[in-house]
Amino acid sequence: MDRRKFITTVGLGVSAGFLSTGNAFAIMAGNDMRQLFVNPPDSARPGCYWWWFNGLVSKEGLTRDLEEFRDKGIGNVLLVNSAGGLGGVQMPLGAKFLSDEWKELFKHAIREAKRLNIDVGVNLCSGWAMGGPWITPEVAGRWVLQSEITVVGPQQFSAALPLPGNRSGYDHVFNPPGFKDYIDLPLEKLDYRDTAVVAFPSSTKIDGERAKLIPAKTNRKDASNFIRQKDLMEPVLDYWETSPSDKPVPVAKVIDLTAKMRADGHLEWEVPAGSWTIVRTGHRMTGSRLMIAQPEADGLSVGWLSSEGVDIQFEHLGKVLLELAGSVKGNTLRYFCDDSFEDGFPNWTAKILEKFSFYRGYDARPYLPVIAGYIITSAEVSDRFLHDYRKTVADCMADGHYKRFAELCHEHGLKVQNESAGPSRSGTMCMDGLKNLGRSDQPMGEFWLGLRHDEPGGLDDNLGYGVSRLENGQNKVTKMAASAGHIYGKKIIPAESFTTMRHWNDYPGNLKQAADRAYCEGINRLVIHTSTSTRPEDGKPGYEYGAGTHFNPNVTWWDKSGGFLSYMARCQHLLQEGMFVADVLYYNGDWAPNIVMPKHIDPSLGFGYDYDVCNEEVLLTRLAVKNGRLVLPDGMSYRLLVLPETVRMPVAVVTRLKQLVLEGATIVGPKPSMDPGLKDYPSCDTTVSRIAAEVWGNCDGADVTSHKYGKGRVFWNKPLRDILMLDGVAPDFSHDSPYAFIDFIHRSTDEGEVYFLANRNNRIEKLACQFRASGKPEIWDPVSGETRGAAFSIAGGRVSVPMEFEAFQSFFVVFPKRSSSLKAEPFPSFAPVQEIKGAWKVKFDTAWGGPASVEFPSLQDWTKRPETGIKYYSGTAIYVKEITVAATGRLFLDLGVVKNIASLKLNGKSLGIVWTAPWRVEITSAVKPGTNLLEIEVVNLWPNRLIGDAALPAEQRLTRTNIPFKSDAPLLSSGLLGPVTINQYL
């Protein structure tokens, strides 16, 4: 293709308003993947949380929302009903939840969504996480409680055993939602119930540093959702060792007295000679309730470790919604949702002993005193029991709640989407995050915006999580959600996106970086948090939620949001295609709690290789070997399986590893020598050691670092990168700049190899990128939908592509399997030929306090103007100027600095929306000799008008909202700041 020729095709269904034509690439018709990239299917569109606050919605407002969603590019909504706005002033009340009025509104929304082809999911409660007035104490969340008493025999004991304290063992609870309302309730208000009573010869409890680990090991440690993965998991992996001062109780000396205690707690027991300790174990409801639920729908949260609560929830709410949806259930109404787990740290259920026996294969009763700190048999044995207890809690959560929820949804033709692995509140909830997520059809993550995310240094690693909302530059749980999707065979991996406590400070141009970060972590559907439904008569910006990027038709820049939404749809279409490419599969161990670290570069692996993380369930039931690669039934494959740095591994896992290596797998990690659990102890340790000796042979990780076994190999203490390089496996992606941060993710499809690259720095980067791929590369721009052939060279079996990125810019580099007509072109370069200086006529909207028209002698920040109507203006202003263009050839208009989004017309011809770098648009087709009329619409954000209104009496204010602003808050830079230049394409 002649690089002087530029083809713009809008006949493929892309609105010109969605195009940024600031790149000299071409939109080409071609194969399906290319066409669908230009004009993505509805399934690729992003979604949003659609909040209905206090039922304060109307049919008119609902229709407006859905029509606007459809028009701008939102393809699915997650409906959340709640009270209030979490942080704002009190809001008026609308339709009560599940009232006849509310039901009519719901049916109207479903009908309109069907008409507009928008998919709907519903959060299955008012507020979150799950519960309601129908949840009774016995099926609510539970905490284990214990009391103890010492008696001396021989005697006939006939008395009531002491009840546990109402918060015995929970001395440092500080974070579960609403805990102050229930933590200190008297026991008679907490539905106390017994589990078991045992007695044993009196002894001492575990002591020293080991005792400090009891809260974590017994699931009674609290923490915020800021807790890091290593801080959560390391305490439970600090194994107890025997101390000379220990006075263990032989397990055979533990007597089960449960049958001898009446329902009222009265015990009849003929006490043998000696001093005996009686431990009464039971449980109370935690008392945790829903967050910001409407009063008529408020109630206790379900018990997360059993299925009874979710069954009741589905009966009282799920079936009602299904009946209201009628024939569109499974069609327009696609799924039910369980929002993020924020319900403290329930650790017990009425059937815990039955579940323990089912999952672990032995009776827990004799070991219950360990929860109170006593040593049964030995410190090591006691620690193994606690390991098994924690795993049982995690299994109960995964199966009793999330699996059962999925079964109920599937029985009624719906899918299920859960934010089931955090960031949790409490952060110490004893869960297997991957297993929880794997129970969902659409395993969901979550990411927030930092408080200063768009400021220089606002995401620095030295800032706390509460400021940056990142861990070492990455989101907390999105890599875990992505891994769960990959290892459990789930195509759609959504994330609650852009959650923040900033109000109207964000816009497409500063949201893109966060979106790209999530895409590179493996998320392939952004669900924008949040889009509040408001009634038109409630004004603008309207009632809003206190924690979420405000993204609805009331934001100032809504009419120009289509470009950003199209960007997301193009990215998501390609990122939902084919399979994720990863060389390494990390096994995250068999313990609980079990959470995956944020995305990071393993020093042993280095940059350029990607990975997934798996759990015990996937390793045992889904992982196989084919042609030397580890494979999953849905198509994922890996070259290496990397084990955790521990010598403890269950017999079942070691046995499976043996089979995998025999069949040709390569595994990397230390030789295991013992089972972490108590079943079949001590013979289980002998079995682990015997199998490991076969598989690892003489590999000791020191003198010998590898061993062949069957068709496969094991390595120990050999860098992963060295292993891959020895096998001839170069990095999947690399570049030649020591300073650039180019993030990536790779998908392999039937039509080609697809790499997404994102510049994580706020600066221009020019570098050569290398790919482990073959064929002729193409560069696809998701901002514009434009594609071009890429210049490239081949060296060492790798394709090298010279690339240039604007600040935070991203591209897809695609290696199609079928050749196209696109020819290789270098990145475009430009030379400034004219700066547009002098005065501009600027028109404001008088309805929002601005002057009808004013002359700016030069480009100036609105907040620096003397007129209060401009200084505090929020909305759209139109810059008008007549210009004479002397240059010829292909010309582009560069806007310089824009606060915050713009669209352009030249001589009446629309040139599209400019919302991100590069802030330029081609004007070749619109420019003419002589005088040209240039019009630039610029939109800023709501805070300036809200700050100005804060100083006015209520009756003089132009804005209406529940989110208060202070009159002395700093104003946001606004307007077209430039410099505006005409650049010639070289």
Side-chain angles (χ1 to χ4, degrees):
M1 176 186 295
D2 184 345
R3 57 191 293 245
R4 296 288 176 179
K5 292 181 179 178
F6 181 65
I7 302 173
T8 302
T9 303
V10 296
L12 296 174
V14 181
S15 166
F18 288 179
L19 287 176
S20 167
T21 54
N23 294 300
F25 300 167
I27 299 177
M28 297 285 292
N31 58 38
D32 289 342
M33 187 167 71
R34 190 188 310 276
Q35 289 177 329
L36 292 174
F37 172 73
V38 174
N39 188 20
D42 287 352
S43 59
R45 289 184 167 205
C48 68
Y49 280 72
W50 197 26
W51 284 86
W52 293 13
F53 287 127
N54 281 350
L56 195 66
V57 297
S58 65
K59 290 182 179 181
E60 180 185 1
L62 298 176
T63 294
R64 177 207 58 185
D65 285 353
L66 293 169
E67 288 180 344
E68 288 291 329
F69 293 163
R70 179 70 202 176
D71 179 65
K72 299 302 184 293
I74 289 175
N76 52 91
V77 298
L78 170 54
L79 173 56
V80 182
N81 294 272
S82 77
L86 193 65
V89 299
Q90 185 62 42
M91 292 172 53
L93 299 179
K96 290 188 175 182
F97 189 59
L98 295 186
S99 66
D100 289 343
E101 181 185 2
W102 184 92
K103 290 177 180 178
E104 284 302 313
L105 291 165
F106 179 80
K107 288 192 289 185
H108 175 80
I110 293 293
R111 287 193 299 267
E112 291 292 83
K114 179 183 179 182
R115 175 176 68 88
L116 296 163
N117 198 31
I118 292 176
D119 290 342
V120 178
V122 181
N123 192 53
L124 203 62
C125 69
S126 178
W128 74 87
M130 182 182 283
W134 38 76
I135 298 300
T136 52
E138 67 270 19
V139 296
R142 314 297 294 187
W143 272 341
V144 62
L145 294 175
Q146 291 181 309
S147 68
E148 48 191 276
I149 185 175
T150 299
V151 297
V152 178
Q155 66 158 300
Q156 180 63 39
F157 182 87
S158 180
L161 294 177
L163 285 165
N166 64 331
R167 57 179 298 179
S168 177
Y170 302 91
D171 298 327
H172 302 291
V173 175
F174 65 91
N175 186 66
F179 74 96
K180 293 180 180 179
D181 294 331
Y182 59 77
I183 184 66
D184 286 319
L185 288 175
L187 200 62
E188 58 268 23
K189 293 185 177 182
L190 292 169
D191 189 51
Y192 173 79
R193 294 166 183 261
D194 284 302
T195 296
V197 179
V198 299
F200 51 91
S202 297
S203 184
T204 57
K205 295 185 178 184
I206 202 160
D207 58 12
E209 291 298 313
R210 298 174 302 174
K212 296 179 181 178
L213 299 174
I214 288 178
K217 287 179 175 286
T218 59
N219 298 324
R220 289 181 289 191
K221 179 181 178 180
D222 193 9
S224 77
N225 55 5
F226 291 12
I227 191 171
R228 291 175 176 251
Q229 183 250 24
K230 67 180 185 65
D231 297 327
L232 170 65
M233 291 166 58
E234 284 182 356
V236 304
L237 298 178
D238 188 351
Y239 298 105
W240 282 344
E241 295 180 354
T242 298
S243 168
S245 62
D246 288 349
K247 295 181 180 179
V249 176
V251 68
K253 294 293 185 72
V254 180
I255 302 172
D256 183 5
L257 301 178
T258 307
K260 298 181 181 295
M261 186 181 72
R262 299 198 308 247
D264 62 359
H266 187 96
L267 177 68
E268 293 284 346
W269 179 42
E270 187 173 336
V271 184
S275 177
W276 291 81
T277 297
I278 302 172
V279 172
R280 180 181 186 177
T281 301
H283 50 102
R284 56 164 277 187
M285 68 170 181
T286 65
S288 181
R289 303 176 68 86
L290 296 175
M291 287 286 290
I292 63 169
Q294 293 150 273
E296 64 275 10
D298 195 10
L300 294 168
S301 299
V302 299
W304 296 88
L305 309 185
S306 64
S307 61
E308 289 84 357
V310 73
D311 282 337
I312 293 170
Q313 190 76 9
F314 207 94
E315 186 69 29
H316 284 81
L317 182 54
K319 289 185 177 180
V320 173
L321 298 177
L322 288 168
E323 182 179 355
L324 293 172
S327 62
V328 301
K329 63 180 181 182
N331 182 356
T332 300
L333 179 60
R334 294 286 187 176
Y335 65 88
F336 285 152
C337 180
D338 192 353
D339 198 31
S340 54
F341 175 81
E342 297 183 27
D343 200 40
F345 52 100
N347 56 22
W348 208 255
T349 180
K351 297 180 180 178
I352 189 73
L353 297 180
E354 176 186 326
K355 295 297 183 181
F356 188 98
S357 179
F358 172 77
Y359 287 117
R360 308 280 83 85
Y362 66 95
D363 186 7
R365 286 177 180 82
Y367 299 96
L368 292 178
V370 175
I371 297 175
Y374 291 99
I375 303 172
I376 302 298
T377 301
S378 67
E380 181 186 355
V381 165
S382 299
D383 197 51
R384 288 173 181 247
F385 162 72
L386 292 177
H387 167 92
D388 290 344
Y389 161 56
R390 293 190 300 273
K391 284 189 70 173
T392 299
V393 170
D395 286 339
C396 286
M397 187 179 198
D399 292 340
H401 184 79
Y402 290 112
K403 181 181 178 181
R404 180 56 183 157
F405 187 27
E407 289 171 346
L408 289 166
C409 290
H410 295 165
E411 288 171 9
H412 292 84
L414 297 188
K415 292 184 177 180
V416 64
Q417 176 176 291
N418 296 319
E419 250 185 88
S420 50
S424 302
R425 183 180 176 201
S426 297
T428 47
M429 179 61 201
C430 190
M431 64 172 65
D432 180 333
L434 290 170
K435 185 179 285 189
N436 284 356
L437 290 162
R439 300 295 186 263
S440 302
D441 299 302
Q442 297 170 177
M444 193 173 197
E446 171 184 335
F447 66 88
W448 284 55
L449 300 176
L451 296 176
R452 294 158 36 202
H453 75 95
D454 54 351
E455 299 176 16
L459 297 179
D460 287 354
D461 290 343
N462 62 341
L463 298 176
Y465 179 77
V467 176
S468 72
R469 291 292 178 168
L470 300 175
E471 287 187 19
N472 298 319
Q474 298 295 151
N475 295 310
K476 182 180 277 286
V477 300
T478 42
K479 181 63 177 180
M480 175 164 52
S483 282
H486 300 154
I487 65 177
Y488 282 99
K490 315 296 185 179
K491 178 181 178 181
I492 304 299
I493 306 166
E496 173 190 322
S497 306
F498 312 126
T499 305
T500 182
M501 304 302 287
R502 295 155 50 106
H503 295 294
W504 294 288
N505 277 18
D506 296 296
Y507 56 98
N510 74 352
L511 295 175
K512 180 180 180 294
Q513 182 193 9
D516 291 349
R517 184 189 306 115
Y519 288 147
C520 289
E521 291 164 333
I523 297 301
N524 59 20
R525 175 182 286 172
L526 300 186
V527 185
I528 299 163
H529 189 260
T530 183
S531 187
T532 302
S533 185
T534 63
R535 304 177 306 178
E537 63 264 31
D538 289 326
K540 291 184 178 182
Y543 297 111
E544 271 295 356
Y545 184 47
T549 291
H550 307 317
F551 202 115
N552 68 2
N554 282 355
V555 295
T556 54
W557 42 264
W558 175 258
D559 285 341
K560 302 188 190 307
S561 64
F564 181 46
L565 293 167
S566 291
Y567 170 81
M568 289 189 275
R570 291 190 183 106
C571 290
Q572 291 172 182
H573 167 61
L574 291 183
L575 295 175
Q576 291 171 10
E577 291 294 296
M579 305 302 297
F580 170 59
V581 176
D583 292 300
V584 177
L585 179 64
Y586 289 91
Y587 171 49
N588 216 43
D590 71 292
W591 48 78
N594 198 303
I595 299 296
V596 174
M597 284 183 67
K599 182 180 176 180
H600 63 284
I601 298 174
D602 181 347
S604 176
L605 184 61
F607 178 76
Y609 299 96
D610 217 334
Y611 68 94
D612 270 329
V613 182
C614 78
N615 58 2
E616 181 184 19
E617 179 178 61
V618 166
L619 190 150
L620 292 177
T621 64
R622 291 177 56 82
L623 200 60
V625 179
K626 184 177 181 180
N627 298 325
R629 294 179 67 96
L630 295 138
V631 298
L632 291 166
D634 314 286
M636 282 299 306
S637 68
Y638 313 89
R639 299 177 188 273
L640 305 179
L641 175 64
V642 181
L643 308 179
E645 289 295 323
T646 178
V647 298
R648 297 172 183 256
M649 196 167 289
V651 169
V653 171
V654 178
T655 302
R656 184 60 187 151
L657 291 177
K658 173 183 175 180
Q659 188 62 35
L660 292 173
V661 178
L662 274 172
E663 294 174 2
T666 298
I667 64 173
V668 185
K671 180 193 295 184
S673 60
M674 62 182 69
D675 190 307
L678 192 51
K679 182 182 179 182
D680 297 330
Y681 175 79
S683 63
C684 59
D685 288 359
T686 303
T687 301
V688 169
S689 294
R690 175 179 55 79
I691 296 173
E694 291 182 47
V695 179
W696 270 257
N698 64 344
C699 179
D700 59 6
D703 297 326
V704 181
T705 58
S706 66
H707 178 68
K708 292 184 178 180
Y709 182 71
K711 297 179 180 180
R713 307 169 295 174
V714 294
F715 291 90
W716 184 6
N717 275 346
K718 190 172 185 66
L720 303 179
R721 197 177 190 91
D722 290 355
I723 299 169
L724 290 168
M725 294 297 284
L726 285 171
D727 288 346
V729 181
D732 192 25
F733 170 74
S734 60
H735 59 77
D736 64 357
S737 172
Y739 307 109
F741 184 2
I742 307 298
D743 209 348
F744 82 101
I745 191 168
H746 177 190
R747 305 281 298 189
S748 181
T749 79
D750 291 339
E751 297 186 38
E753 302 303 308
V754 177
Y755 291 81
F756 177 69
L757 307 183
N759 180 11
R760 295 280 296 273
N761 287 329
N762 187 20
R763 63 172 184 251
I764 294 172
E765 301 286 4
K766 297 182 179 182
L767 67 175
C769 297
Q770 293 82 39
F771 303 87
R772 194 177 66 204
S774 60
K776 296 181 178 180
E778 298 176 3
I779 295 176
W780 296 11
D781 183 357
V783 170
S784 65
E786 300 160 351
T787 65
R788 70 170 175 90
F792 70 98
S793 60
I794 298 176
R798 291 162 61 75
V799 178
S800 180
V801 180
M803 299 194 69
E804 299 178 15
F805 295 84
E806 296 282 343
F808 298 133
Q809 194 173 23
S810 54
F811 294 109
F812 284 93
V813 179
V814 180
F815 294 81
K817 291 184 179 179
R818 291 187 289 175
S819 61
S820 73
S821 60
L822 295 178
K823 294 183 179 180
E825 300 177 48
F827 268 76
S829 59
F830 303 89
V833 295
Q834 180 180 345
E835 181 176 352
I836 300 176
K837 298 181 178 180
W840 293 75
K841 182 179 181 181
V842 187
K843 301 176 181 179
F844 293 87
D845 187 346
T846 57
W848 289 103
S853 180
V854 65
E855 183 174 286
F856 281 22
S858 62
L859 294 178
Q860 186 178 13
D861 190 322
W862 298 350
T863 65
K864 307 302 181 185
R865 295 286 301 187
E867 305 95 330
T868 58
I870 298 178
K871 182 177 183 179
Y872 295 111
Y873 183 81
S874 292
T876 301
I878 304 173
Y879 289 72
V880 182
K881 187 176 181 65
E882 289 186 342
I883 61 174
T884 300
V885 180
T888 59
R890 292 187 62 188
L891 302 177
F892 289 74
L893 189 73
D894 191 308
L895 300 182
V897 177
V898 178
K899 297 293 182 177
N900 297 95
I901 191 169
S903 63
L904 296 89
K905 289 181 181 179
L906 185 62
N907 298 319
K909 181 176 181 178
S910 175
L911 299 176
I913 296 167
V914 184
W915 61 272
T916 186
W919 294 87
R920 61 175 176 254
V921 62
E922 185 170 21
I923 62 174
T924 309
S925 62
V927 73
K928 65 181 183 181
T931 302
N932 293 262
L933 180 63
L934 176 61
E935 299 172 273
I936 304 174
E937 287 191 5
V938 176
V939 187
N940 72 335
L941 310 179
W942 273 122
N944 290 355
R945 183 65 265 162
L946 290 162
I947 293 167
D949 278 4
L952 298 176
E955 64 274 11
Q956 295 180 23
R957 295 174 184 173
L958 302 177
T959 56
R960 293 177 62 188
T961 182
N962 60 314
I963 304 293
F965 273 70
K966 295 181 179 180
S967 61
D968 60 351
L971 297 173
L972 301 183
S973 178
S974 298
L976 177 61
L977 307 183
V980 177
T981 58
I982 296 175
N983 295 339
Q984 190 175 58
Y985 178 71
L986 301 179

